[in-house]
Amino acid sequence: MRDKVSFKKGDNVLVISGDDKGKKGKIVDIFPDKRQAIIEGVNFLRKHNKPTQKVPQGGIVKKEGPLHISNIKLICNKCNQATAIKRERTKEGKRVRVCKKCGEIIDKV
Ligand SMILES: [Zn+2]
């Protein structure tokens, strides 16, 4: 079975490795096929823009770049810790993500 991407847009995550280790942010975009996510305020890339009529001097734009999901961990809303996730089914048969630390269901049911 293929390992599923356990993150969703809007999740709060902690960066656990790389230059931005220790930073927290919200996932603003996710690319499950590439196993990458863009996290608000994390992994800024500098992009040099060519001069335009509006900005004749050109400029450097900072933009969040994607991070591989192996570099991030979900922060549980309940216990506020970076945690691993397990997948469970509710009694109603709905698939939810559950915090391995406190056992709380992360997804709204
Ligand atoms: Zn928890």
Side-chain angles (χ1 to χ4, degrees):
M1 202 175 91
R2 225 189 122 205
D3 196 21
K4 277 216 177 152
V5 174
S6 324
F7 299 101
K8 291 178 180 176
K9 251 187 219 185
D11 281 346
N12 283 309
V13 296
L14 172 73
V15 180
I16 53 167
S17 63
D19 292 342
D20 286 311
K21 187 176 173 179
K23 280 193 187 169
K24 290 174 185 173
K26 189 191 267 188
I27 294 181
V28 288
D29 218 343
I30 190 153
F31 310 104
D33 294 345
K34 293 191 213 160
R35 307 184 70 74
Q36 288 178 330
I38 292 180
I39 300 139
E40 200 173 55
V42 172
N43 195 28
F44 276 114
L45 303 175
R46 280 160 191 265
K47 195 171 163 243
H48 293 260
N49 279 356
K50 282 184 186 150
T52 60
Q53 275 192 328
K54 244 185 178 176
V55 192
Q57 75 274 26
I60 297 168
V61 176
K62 285 171 101 188
K63 195 174 182 303
E64 290 104 332
L67 271 187
H68 195 264
I69 57 161
S70 63
N71 294 328
I72 57 177
K73 257 189 153 180
L74 189 77
I75 298 170
C76 172
N77 293 329
K78 191 81 182 177
C79 63
N80 212 23
Q81 294 188 70
T83 181
I85 302 159
K86 57 183 177 179
R87 291 176 170 276
E88 281 185 0
R89 260 178 210 279
T90 62
K91 272 179 248 164
E92 296 79 26
K94 214 174 165 217
R95 291 171 65 89
V96 290
R97 297 174 301 167
V98 174
C99 171
K100 273 195 178 173
K101 288 206 165 128
C102 68
E104 194 67 27
I105 293 172
I106 288 159
D107 294 300
K108 289 191 182 81
V109 187

